[in-house]
Amino acid sequence: MVRRITGSALLAGLVYALLPVAARAQSHALPQGDVQAIYRRLLQKIELMKVFDHHAHPGFGDDSDVDAQGPAPPPQHPPLRARATNPEGVVAVKALFGYPYSDLSEEHMRWLGEKSAAAQKGGGIGYWDGILDQCGIEASVANRVAMANYLDPKRFRWVFFVDSFLFPFDNKLVTGENPDEGVYIPLQEKVLHRYMQQAEITQLPDTFDGYLAFISRILEENQKKGGIAEKFEVAYFRSLYFADPPREAAAAVYGKYRSGGVPTPEEYTTLQDYVFRYLVTEGGRLHLPVHLHTAVGEGDYFSLQKGNVMNLENIVKDPRYLDTTFVLIHGGYPYFRQVIWLASMRNVYIDTSEIEVLLYPSEFKNVLKLWLQTYPEKITFGTDAYPYSAALGSEEGYWLGVHAARDALAAALAEMVAADEITEAKALEFAHGYLHDNAVRLYPAASR
Ligand SMILES: [Zn+2]
């Protein structure tokens, strides 16, 4: 078909011809400019940018509220970078505390333990505010069972756990599946018990309607207490594939096991699938974004197949849940090539926490680049800072996460600029979005 060139098309062509070369250059596979020089220029500016940490577990090492999985995860054969032999740990504690040694031997780590114990004993909110200041973090999510009085509510925003609502019955079969579940599931039972105490009930409500009302009550109360999102780490306990059972089927299971008995795996799944979708719907009603753990997890028994983020496709692409904001925590790693396409949905966001410390920056840069090339406005930063040990506490997690992410971000953007994909001005806009703006936009400003 021959198209007649109209006056306005001609005008548009003229304007296009007058644009600076960089804005209309064809992109290239190989760098056209000096990548190192662009990287250095970008990094200098990125280091001054405000950071919002979209996923972290701040707290002292012996604080059992730091995660629903408790302070001590099951044993694991850690990947190279997470091992105690990684010299980056020494760099972090030297930068944060002026650590006087050059290794993390047990004897030397006692120095760190004493420092943290003194801060804990001293009380007040100054210590953790100071850690954020040192890392250039304006505010951080505190994904915890409950908030701690040593965390400043102006800087730490609470994200609470909701998995325990999926495990209200006798959990004998789940607990026995492998040694990891033996650690996790009893802790989930404790969280549910706490929620029941909060609602002043001593046993499960008589009816399924009553159970759902109890769940809604806890969500509303936790939101009033400052909670900004609900968090699932359910990938640790079962498949991320949730079917769509009718309410009557779930209610029948509830009625059968409410006061005792061990449900079959199929029966339990029916109840959980329904309750999960109820929590997702409530997240939309209450404007509580739903955070989901979606990457390879702690412990040697974490199932990559069941935990595959693509199992959530039927949920995040269900038009009934368009009012619910989903944050795919840890970006579905290692399925990072697939996960970015879920972010085509306007209500789906991806967080990079855990990846930037699991991988070295040289590889994290590639993950980030692919995502920035696809849906740059949907990617958010997080550290997953967590008190693993005296040497790798939440403090060091913040420091390592921020430094690795800035480095990889500057490198990914420098490659995009050098390949004529974006301008340097656009690169800085993407950087602001990733480190701060994209996530902050999802929540109301801290009210206190
Ligand atoms: Zn986490």
Side-chain angles (χ1 to χ4, degrees):
M1 189 175 82
V2 181
R3 240 182 95 201
R4 275 187 54 225
I5 297 173
T6 61
S8 63
L10 244 168
L11 191 68
L14 205 70
V15 171
Y16 184 70
L18 292 173
L19 284 174
V21 176
R24 62 179 176 87
Q26 189 182 346
S27 54
H28 300 275
L30 288 174
Q32 304 297 298
D34 183 344
V35 185
Q36 280 287 340
I38 304 169
Y39 160 81
R40 279 194 299 272
R41 276 202 300 276
L42 290 174
L43 185 59
Q44 235 177 21
K45 290 182 178 144
I46 283 171
E47 278 171 348
L48 302 173
M49 287 181 187
K50 278 191 294 192
V51 173
F52 179 80
D53 187 336
H54 205 178
H55 180 74
H57 309 268
F60 291 109
D62 61 355
D63 181 347
S64 60
D65 281 347
V66 85
D67 194 290
Q69 298 183 356
Q76 183 189 15
H77 180 208
L80 182 64
R81 198 175 179 212
R83 294 178 197 169
T85 47
N86 181 358
E88 290 174 295
V90 179
V91 178
V93 289
K94 274 186 183 294
L96 283 172
F97 306 113
Y99 183 68
Y101 309 105
S102 53
D103 63 55
L104 293 170
S105 69
E106 217 166 295
E107 190 198 331
H108 290 158
M109 281 205 306
R110 234 172 277 145
W111 185 93
L112 275 176
E114 282 162 19
K115 208 133 186 124
S116 152
Q120 197 168 6
K121 207 168 150 222
I125 56 172
Y127 175 77
W128 287 96
D129 276 0
I131 296 292
L132 292 193
D133 291 341
Q134 274 183 285
C135 297
I137 300 174
E138 180 187 62
S140 169
V141 155
N143 182 199
R144 299 172 45 100
V145 174
M147 279 301 266
N149 57 14
Y150 57 77
L151 295 174
D152 177 358
K154 288 198 186 77
R155 306 283 298 274
F156 293 90
R157 317 282 311 272
W158 187 36
V159 170
F160 57 89
F161 291 95
V162 291
D163 305 272
S164 60
F165 295 121
L166 305 186
F167 295 91
F169 306 141
D170 188 327
N171 293 304
K172 201 179 292 166
L173 291 181
V174 203
T175 309
E177 265 175 32
N178 62 52
D180 288 4
E181 301 308 339
V183 174
Y184 294 144
I185 299 300
L187 291 165
Q188 290 302 321
E189 291 170 346
K190 266 170 78 175
V191 176
L192 184 64
H193 189 68
R194 252 170 106 156
Y195 282 154
M196 287 170 68
Q197 280 179 323
Q198 184 176 329
E200 294 170 329
I201 55 175
T202 51
Q203 50 188 3
L204 292 173
D206 292 342
T207 63
F208 190 47
D209 283 351
Y211 186 61
L212 298 178
F214 155 63
I215 292 175
S216 294
R217 173 182 169 168
I218 298 296
L219 295 180
E220 287 168 12
E221 283 180 7
N222 285 0
Q223 188 174 34
K224 281 199 192 95
K225 284 197 270 180
I228 60 164
E230 51 174 300
K231 162 82 186 298
F232 285 99
E233 50 190 8
V234 66
Y236 279 97
F237 319 130
R238 53 153 280 169
S239 166
L240 281 182
Y241 178 76
F242 295 91
D244 196 4
R247 186 182 176 108
E248 306 78 62
V253 176
Y254 184 83
K256 193 168 166 192
Y257 296 103
R258 182 188 66 81
S259 40
V262 184
T264 66
E266 293 73 27
E267 286 173 322
Y268 222 162
T269 301
T270 298
L271 177 106
Q272 291 171 346
D273 289 354
Y274 188 89
V275 172
F276 176 83
R277 284 169 182 266
Y278 180 77
L279 282 157
V280 163
T281 309
E282 284 291 89
R285 179 179 72 87
L286 296 166
H287 303 293
L288 273 175
V290 172
H291 289 199
L292 289 139
H293 173 108
T294 61
V296 60
E298 285 280 301
D300 287 333
Y301 293 92
F302 184 90
S303 168
L304 279 159
Q305 198 167 26
K306 289 186 200 162
N308 186 336
V309 64
M310 293 313 289
N311 285 321
L312 287 168
E313 190 172 24
N314 65 325
I315 296 289
V316 302
K317 295 206 165 179
D318 189 327
R320 287 175 293 173
Y321 308 136
L322 278 176
D323 287 342
T324 302
T325 296
F326 294 97
V327 184
L328 305 175
I329 300 287
H330 318 314
Y333 196 81
Y335 305 104
F336 69 97
R337 288 187 184 283
Q338 292 88 339
V339 74
I340 189 63
W341 297 102
L342 297 180
S344 68
M345 295 297 290
R346 65 168 160 80
N347 53 328
V348 176
Y349 289 78
I350 293 175
D351 145 83
T352 66
S353 65
E354 183 189 328
I355 313 175
E356 76 268 311
V357 284
L358 198 63
L359 303 179
Y360 283 97
S362 62
E363 176 61 7
F364 176 53
K365 179 254 298 172
N366 297 328
V367 175
L368 209 45
K369 188 168 121 181
L370 178 73
W371 290 355
L372 289 166
Q373 286 173 326
T374 317
Y375 291 110
E377 64 287 342
K378 306 303 281 295
I379 309 163
T380 71
F381 166 79
T383 58
D384 203 23
Y386 186 95
Y388 288 104
S389 64
L392 186 60
S394 306
E395 299 94 323
E396 292 77 22
Y398 276 129
W399 195 92
L400 284 169
V402 164
H403 283 79
R406 284 177 181 149
D407 183 31
L409 176 64
L413 292 169
E415 288 186 1
M416 290 170 71
V417 172
D420 284 335
E421 294 167 11
I422 51 170
T423 61
E424 279 192 50
K426 193 46 116 180
L428 293 171
E429 191 188 309
F430 285 180
H432 275 293
Y434 165 58
L435 292 173
H436 184 271
D437 302 353
N438 297 348
V440 165
R441 214 175 285 138
L442 304 180
Y443 308 96
S447 48
R448 281 168 291 181

